[in-house]
Amino acid sequence: MTTGHDTAAAAPSKEGGAAPGRPPGDPAAADKERRRRARLSRRWQRDVRWSPYAFVSPFFLLFVAFGLFPLIYTGWASLHKVELTAPTDMDWVGLRNYTRIFDDEFFWNAAQNTLTIGIISTVPQLLMAMGLAHILNYKLRASTFYRVAMLAPYATSIAAASLVFVLLFGRDYGMINWALGLVGVDNIDWQNETWASQVAVSTIVIWRWTGYNALIYLAAMQAIPQDLYESAALDGANRWQQFFHVTLPSLRPTILFTCVVSTIGASQLFGEPLLFDANKGASGGSQHQFQTLGLYLYEQGWVNQHLGRASAIAWTMFLILILIGIVNYVISRRLRASS
Amino acid sequence: MTTTTLTPPDPDRTDQAPARSRRPRSARAGGQLHAGPVAYVVLALFTIGSLFPLVWTAIAASRDNNRLAQTPPPFWFGANLFDNLELAWTDANLGEAFLNTTIVAGISAATIVFLSTIAGFAFAKLRFKGRNAMMLIVIGTMMVPPQLSVIPLYMMVAKLDWTDQLQAVIFPSLVSAFGVFFMRQYLIQALPDEIIEAARMDGASSWRVVWHVVFPAARPAMAVLGMLMFVQTWNDFLWPFLVLTQTGNPTVQVAVAGLGRGYTPDQSLIMAGALLGTLPLLLVFAIFGKQIVGGIMQGAVKG
């Protein structure tokens, strides 16, 4: 409230700027003038003091309304029986939603799938991104072209990308099986075999995000001071040694950052497995072979209409992420301590 | 009065200075090695891998459904592209979906850019109590998965009777922690403290400083952030999918996803829809790709 008032002080301060040019008049006017200036300067000080809060408060207000409050409310809802048909009727059930989902084999199946898909999408993706960034960091012809081309998948929506990959991964007429057939591999049922479907879903993720991560690594690489390389070269380090002893250590914070972001992204995988399903359901394939936690949450909340249980899944996911974050932090501290 | 003395020098100074200092190209180009042929081969492979699914979307969209159910799959364009595009356009009601998505993405991107710029300015250049703690919260919110808030948001939307209405999609996407972080990073470098002090000496209020100094200085970054956020909101899937049904007010992504959900899906039609849904963004990328790449790299470096 105060902030809103203070930012409105813009207009009077204009006069303040003009005031020094005015000729001095009689004592009463001078006194008035002094008081006016004091008032303006008080207003100015208040402006300086409070306007930073005015500038950051819209972000925080909206964040509280659409981020923090829902997060806490999800925790509250997870302790209730809430149905999609009447989302405002809540019956207290304590931890029953949690015990229910922990007893559900499909929860554990989804958790395992999420972990597997997360690993086989994140690890190759970040390794390839690192290699790409390293190449892009050389002097190249048409370097902008490669960067833009590699970022094109990022501009493609999950919906469009998933639908294209469904066709490319088709069992009978898909391009990927056709290409594998040329080298003598039998048709793979990418939608129904467990590992194959998980590889296929991971491929969509890898395709969309490798270029983006490569750019992030590239940016970090370009921030490494050149003299580090020069002194390494003077010490007789070849290109590989320079990469391992200069580039990688300097990138450690960036690598950790991309690991955290990718982990969060992988834990929330939803659109890709949803649209990759031939039966167009939320089960993640006929045998739940690629049902992720995100999809399981959707199935519980919007297909089975148990919003309370879906909330419990959401909070479980959140707690797992916090755990991963703590592990990440501990590892990074160990790494820093050891170097 | 002050306005006239204040404004003219600012755009000049701020437009030039940051553009130079932002890219330390000269600093790294000195000792840089040229790429060998192997590097070009690897790059070519990755470029093909990136672009092929997109090109093939267009190829599949230009064929008829039967040709897609044959081996080998088609490698070149057929004759049905425009028929399929037209059919997808009418079948999935893509015209309305495009309008909806443009409204949603436009409002979100504009609001995010505005709020991020003023907040980023405060974090970059102003001193206030709790600044570091608040910035930590902003960075922390980047780590919180949006999926967590989906259920209460859905309850809120249901209670407000906003299901199937565009404001249900617009409101939750009005802030971006990334945006605040991004603008802060940019303004730390691009906005010299002396300019702000000079404006302050002239008696400018904080709003005046934002309007006449910060906004002109931040314009390039605002444009990039706007495009990034537009792309992100345009491609957003989970939340619109939950609150907007097909028959209500679908966004492009919801409509395109719906194309794939028929009982006997016509693949070339689906590909035509996917192509239409992606085309505007690919055009934006083709035109502003360089700036967007620069923007992502700019936002990636943390300080």
Side-chain angles (χ1 to χ4, degrees), chain B residues 119-138:
Chain B
F121 163 64
F123 282 123
K125 295 291 170 182
L126 302 180
R127 279 165 208 284
F128 54 99
K129 240 186 211 157
R131 180 174 82 162
N132 293 337
M134 284 186 191
M135 195 58 215
L136 217 65
I137 294 175
V138 172

Side-chain angles (χ1 to χ4, degrees), chain A residues 7 47 51-53 63 70 74 137 139 141 155 157 160 164 173 175 178 207 222 260 264 268 270 280 314 318 321, chain B residues 28 32-33 35 40 49-50 56-57 69 72 75 128-129 141 143 145 147-149 152 206-207 235 238 253 260 278:
Chain A
T7 47
D47 176 39
S51 61
Y53 298 104
F63 166 68
T74 307
N137 201 21
K139 257 188 196 160
R141 278 171 212 279
S157 67
V164 179
Y173 308 109
M175 173 122 6
W178 172 80
W207 179 73
Q222 294 186 344
V260 171
I264 291 175
Q268 298 173 58
F270 169 74
K280 312 301 171 202
F318 185 48
L321 277 176
Chain B
R28 66 185 173 83
Q32 227 186 6
L33 295 159
Y40 281 102
S50 291
W56 199 74
T57 310
F75 281 97
F128 54 99
K129 240 186 211 157
T141 60
M143 304 287 166
Q147 221 166 40
L148 275 171
S149 11
S206 300
W207 263 117
N235 281 339
L238 171 71
Q253 305 317 324
T278 305

Side-chain angles (χ1 to χ4, degrees), chain A:
Chain A
M1 307 164 268
T2 25
T3 48
H5 169 75
D6 284 310
T7 47
S13 68
K14 190 162 44 172
E15 299 163 32
R22 233 173 253 176
D26 59 303
D31 191 43
K32 210 174 143 195
E33 176 68 18
R34 212 176 309 125
R35 261 186 287 134
R36 201 178 67 88
R37 277 205 211 168
R39 199 179 62 232
L40 280 176
S41 119
R42 265 201 311 278
R43 192 173 284 181
W44 193 79
Q45 273 173 357
R46 242 187 305 153
D47 176 39
V48 170
R49 185 153 178 210
W50 293 109
S51 61
Y53 298 104
F55 292 151
V56 299
S57 55
F59 171 83
F60 282 102
L61 285 177
L62 283 167
F63 166 68
V64 167
F66 295 111
L68 190 63
F69 165 74
L71 175 66
I72 294 164
Y73 198 83
T74 307
W76 180 242
S78 75
L79 303 173
H80 292 78
K81 184 177 193 281
V82 196
E83 298 296 309
L84 184 75
T85 42
T88 42
D89 297 342
M90 296 169 75
D91 294 323
W92 176 265
V93 292
L95 291 173
R96 199 171 348 129
N97 283 325
Y98 289 91
T99 54
R100 279 288 285 275
I101 57 165
F102 291 156
D103 281 341
D104 187 352
E105 59 168 313
F106 293 121
F107 169 78
W108 296 106
N109 171 61
Q112 200 194 331
N113 290 344
T114 309
L115 184 70
T116 316
I117 295 174
I119 290 172
I120 59 178
S121 62
T122 309
V123 174
Q125 175 192 325
L126 294 183
L127 287 177
M128 284 195 298
M130 179 67 74
L132 267 180
H134 185 66
I135 293 175
L136 287 169
N137 201 21
Y138 285 120
K139 257 188 196 160
L140 283 168
R141 278 171 212 279
S143 61
T144 308
F145 167 75
Y146 303 119
R147 294 176 195 184
V148 174
M150 266 162 219
L151 207 56
Y154 164 80
T156 314
S157 67
I158 288 176
S162 305
L163 294 173
V164 179
F165 276 89
V166 167
L167 269 187
L168 292 176
F169 276 111
R171 190 191 61 189
D172 297 321
Y173 308 109
M175 173 122 6
I176 288 166
N177 272 349
W178 172 80
L180 287 174
L182 293 183
V183 291
V185 179
D186 283 338
N187 276 4
I188 297 171
D189 192 346
W190 293 103
Q191 283 187 318
N192 290 319
E193 280 176 35
T194 306
W195 70 267
S197 60
Q198 294 182 352
V199 168
V201 170
S202 304
T203 306
I204 309 174
V205 180
I206 293 171
W207 179 73
R208 278 191 77 216
W209 292 102
T210 301
Y212 182 86
N213 282 309
L215 285 186
I216 289 179
Y217 286 145
L218 178 62
M221 282 179 188
Q222 294 186 344
I224 301 172
Q226 202 60 44
D227 31 320
L228 281 182
Y229 289 103
E230 276 157 21
S231 56
L234 281 178
D235 289 344
N238 64 27
R239 281 194 193 185
W240 274 108
Q241 286 167 331
Q242 287 180 24
F243 179 75
F244 278 107
H245 297 288
V246 180
T247 310
L248 277 188
S250 313
L251 288 188
R252 200 178 292 141
T254 315
I255 294 171
L256 273 170
F257 175 76
T258 52
C259 284
V260 171
V261 171
S262 305
T263 308
I264 291 175
S267 75
Q268 298 173 58
L269 216 54
F270 169 74
E272 291 91 342
L274 178 83
L275 295 169
F276 194 71
D277 190 353
N279 300 322
K280 312 301 171 202
S283 58
S286 48
Q287 309 293 313
H288 296 254
Q289 64 270 30
F290 53 91
Q291 185 176 42
T292 56
L293 281 173
L295 213 47
Y296 180 68
L297 182 151
Y298 171 71
E299 190 184 36
Q300 289 293 333
W302 275 265
V303 180
N304 300 341
Q305 312 204 328
H306 302 312
L307 281 182
R309 230 176 282 169
S311 304
I313 299 165
W315 254 78
T316 309
M317 286 163 71
F318 185 48
L319 294 178
I320 293 172
L321 277 176
I322 290 177
L323 211 70
I324 292 173
I326 292 171
V327 171
N328 234 318
Y329 177 74
V330 170
I331 291 175
S332 70
R333 282 200 57 172
R334 282 269 168 81
L335 280 174
R336 212 172 301 157
S338 69
S339 65

